[in-house]
Amino acid sequence: MPSQQSIPEPVGNTALAKLALRDQVLASRKRRPLTEVGEAAREIAAHLLADHEVRRAATVACYVSVGTEPGTTELLDLLVAEGKRVVLPVLLPDNDLDWAVYHGPTSLAPAGRGLLEPMSPRLGPDAVATADVVLLPGLAVSTSGRRLGRGGGSYDRALGRVPVGTFTCVLLYADEVDRDVPTEPHDRPVTAAATPDGITRFG
């Protein structure tokens, strides 16, 4: 007689392909010298601050980088110095994102998963829709703007709240752009990628 225990559904080919690409990119990032990570962060910040979409933005949604991700520490403070209202994500228990205003490094506190999050009052998950520019993390992006994240779906949900036409840009290293990114129905594309080499826009 068949067992009554639930049998997990097999993982699809797309999910397996995503997992393989994530492992590849994360392994490559771990090998990057810290000097390269720091230089990349400065170059990405310079490109973004010179971009017309960012220059005219009143509110920018961004994030606090961790580990060997393309760094955002300097970028955040430069955006504030330019008079931008910067909102940062707060990870919720269900992997959705709330948002709060960034008021400088002292406004951040340690959170779960090694993250730093703003201590200012929360604005609600829909606050990302008020941003004129959304800068988000990722691991790779395709030629059509399909972004590979870490698999939690947090930013796909956030992007689902962003009005059409908003400048949405993933921060990456140059060799992570124009990759063959497997996609699923819930994946949301971005309009651009910022790397140390410049900003690439997708059609």
Side-chain angles (χ1 to χ4, degrees):
M1 186 171 178
S3 169
Q4 296 300 309
Q5 290 183 330
S6 60
I7 301 173
E9 294 184 9
V11 178
N13 290 338
T14 301
L16 287 173
K18 281 185 172 183
L19 185 61
L21 183 55
R22 278 191 196 102
D23 288 347
Q24 179 187 348
V25 174
L26 288 170
S28 176
R29 284 187 175 183
K30 284 180 182 178
R31 294 192 295 268
R32 291 185 187 274
L34 290 180
T35 52
E36 180 187 336
V37 174
E39 183 61 27
R42 289 186 287 275
E43 291 171 347
I44 290 171
H47 291 310
L48 285 170
L49 290 167
D51 185 82
H52 68 279
E53 299 271 13
V54 177
R55 289 180 66 84
R56 70 186 187 188
T59 296
V60 176
C62 195
Y63 64 99
V64 182
S65 58
V66 295
T68 54
E69 285 183 333
T72 61
T73 303
E74 183 176 346
L75 172 62
L76 292 173
D77 292 334
L78 289 170
L79 288 169
V80 171
E82 291 283 334
K84 313 295 184 188
R85 175 178 177 260
V86 177
V87 295
L88 299 178
V90 177
L91 186 65
L92 298 174
D94 65 352
N95 275 348
D96 206 347
L97 298 177
D98 203 330
W99 299 85
V101 177
Y102 175 67
H103 295 292
T106 58
S107 69
L108 299 175
R113 304 186 191 182
L115 301 174
L116 290 173
E117 294 179 344
M119 295 182 288
S120 48
R122 296 187 182 184
L123 305 172
D126 290 335
V128 68
T130 68
D132 305 296
V133 165
V134 179
L135 306 177
L136 60 156
L139 295 173
V141 72
S142 73
T143 55
S144 60
R146 294 292 177 178
R147 166 190 159 272
L148 179 71
R150 289 183 179 261
S154 302
Y155 281 93
D156 286 316
R157 281 196 255 182
L159 287 171
R161 301 181 177 109
V162 174
V164 174
T166 302
F167 183 65
T168 56
C169 182
V170 59
L171 276 56
L172 298 170
Y173 296 102
D175 60 358
E176 297 166 355
V177 177
D178 294 347
R179 301 293 290 268
D180 183 12
V181 176
T183 58
E184 296 176 278
H186 65 267
D187 292 329
R188 302 275 181 167
V190 293
T191 60
T195 76
D197 292 348
I199 295 177
T200 301
R201 283 176 163 77
F202 307 110

